Amino acid sequence: MKSIVVANWKMNPPTMREAKKLFDATRKAAESAKNVTLIVAPPAIFLRDLRARYKGKRVAFALQQASAEGSGAYTGDISLLQAKDAGAQYVIVGHSEQRAKGETNEAAGKVVAAALVCGMTPILCVGERERSQNGEHFSFVKEQLRAAFADVEPSKVTKVLVAYEPVWAIGGEKTMSPRDMHEMTIFIRKTLVGMSSGGGSTSGGKGYEAGMNVKILYGGATTESNALPMLQESGAQGFIVGHVSIDAFRFAALISSLS
Ligand code: PGA
């Protein structure tokens, strides 16, 4: 099965010139790794230009953050239709850096639902800020999932990519262990299967059986040295890569480690 790698450039690089250079290196890495689906999430301001100069099919594009609203008086926001028009097929939803600025679980859920209506694939980010001995991080993630899928029809559940990103690992060099991630992928799938239509818990309602097949990505300190064991042992299908994705050399090494 093909693995999925999302290159989340965050607010980098500073100029279009550098963005083009980074994109060219990224594209080359993708072209030599046939078993990897690469999704580049550049800053929105670079998206259309990068899309326009790319004629191939091996790289897809994502918007880093979108509004659930269709249009109107939302200064600074970008709509899903605008992102689609610029060439994005995917949208990152509920990244922890947006949640830290106040995005709620419910707001993320509205973007997930709106993205599906527009025919875009939401990459829903969930993950706790810290781990607790008594397992509170599981209920935290469960609540994020419940709200995010509240308006998703059970038949659409596998159209959402779920990215588990433990906030405490983001930006560093050390991931969580593949074993802990394996526990989390099982938990996420079970949680989705256990939800009834409308995001509640099952009590005879129509469950999200397809939740068992949802694709899960891992994000947080993914590097060229830890990606492969994570892919092999965790039950995740791929990654969201932050700081390593803006280092052309390291990112190429990461992609080639997976092929
Ligand atoms: P990182 O970021 O790879 O730099 O840890 C991942 C993310 O925030 O998506």
Side-chain angles (χ1 to χ4, degrees):
M1 204 190 354
K2 271 186 147 191
S3 51
I4 300 167
V5 176
V6 182
N8 177 13
W9 290 1
K10 308 195 177 186
M11 202 170 72
N12 302 290
T15 65
M16 185 67 215
R17 209 169 139 256
E18 287 159 280
K20 282 180 182 160
K21 232 173 116 190
L22 178 60
F23 181 76
D24 284 342
T26 303
R27 172 183 62 74
K28 277 200 195 108
E31 268 149 24
S32 53
K34 302 257 180 294
N35 55 348
V36 176
T37 298
L38 184 70
I39 302 165
V40 176
I45 199 159
F46 299 146
L47 185 65
R48 186 182 296 276
D49 273 10
L50 294 177
R51 182 74 197 91
R53 65 187 261 119
Y54 180 61
K55 304 281 177 260
K57 290 212 160 62
R58 302 201 39 81
V59 180
F61 290 85
L63 187 72
Q64 293 179 9
Q65 171 73 7
S67 169
E69 303 297 335
S71 63
Y74 302 99
T75 303
D77 288 354
I78 297 171
S79 78
L80 290 156
L81 285 177
Q82 289 164 342
K84 201 173 169 182
D85 183 61
Q89 290 167 255
Y90 294 82
V91 57
I92 298 177
V93 183
H95 191 280
S96 60
E97 286 149 17
Q98 291 293 337
R99 293 185 190 262
K101 288 198 287 182
E103 182 172 30
T104 62
N105 290 349
E106 287 67 30
K110 293 212 160 44
V111 184
V112 168
L116 293 173
V117 169
C118 285
M120 291 176 77
T121 303
I123 304 169
L124 169 73
C125 301
V126 296
E128 74 284 356
R129 281 186 288 271
E130 54 197 13
R131 289 236 139 177
S132 71
Q133 297 286 356
N134 50 11
E136 276 164 32
H137 46 279
F138 286 112
S139 35
F140 187 86
V141 169
K142 187 175 192 169
E143 186 49 33
Q144 289 181 321
L145 290 169
R146 193 203 56 74
F149 280 85
D151 295 325
V152 176
E153 294 279 315
S155 64
K156 295 267 172 68
V157 67
T158 52
K159 303 237 182 281
V160 181
L161 288 176
V162 177
Y164 172 71
E165 299 203 291
V167 181
W168 46 268
I170 289 178
E173 291 290 311
K174 199 171 175 312
T175 55
M176 72 194 292
S177 72
R179 198 201 179 98
D180 285 348
M181 181 56 190
H182 191 228
E183 190 180 31
M184 191 48 87
T185 54
I186 293 170
F187 178 77
I188 290 170
R189 294 196 168 106
K190 274 197 174 155
T191 300
L192 293 178
V193 170
M195 284 190 326
S196 63
S197 180
S201 59
T202 23
S203 49
K206 191 170 185 304
Y208 289 73
E209 290 84 3
M212 228 43 222
N213 302 323
V214 84
K215 291 202 174 92
I216 299 178
L217 308 180
Y218 171 80
T222 306
T223 68
E224 62 281 37
S225 26
N226 61 32
L228 185 61
M230 184 63 99
L231 191 69
Q232 289 170 331
E233 296 162 36
S234 70
Q237 276 75 38
F239 303 96
I240 297 202
V241 184
H243 67 283
V244 169
S245 76
I246 56 166
D247 178 327
F249 187 76
R250 291 188 71 188
F251 191 65
L254 189 160
I255 296 288
S256 93
S257 79
L258 301 178
S259 40

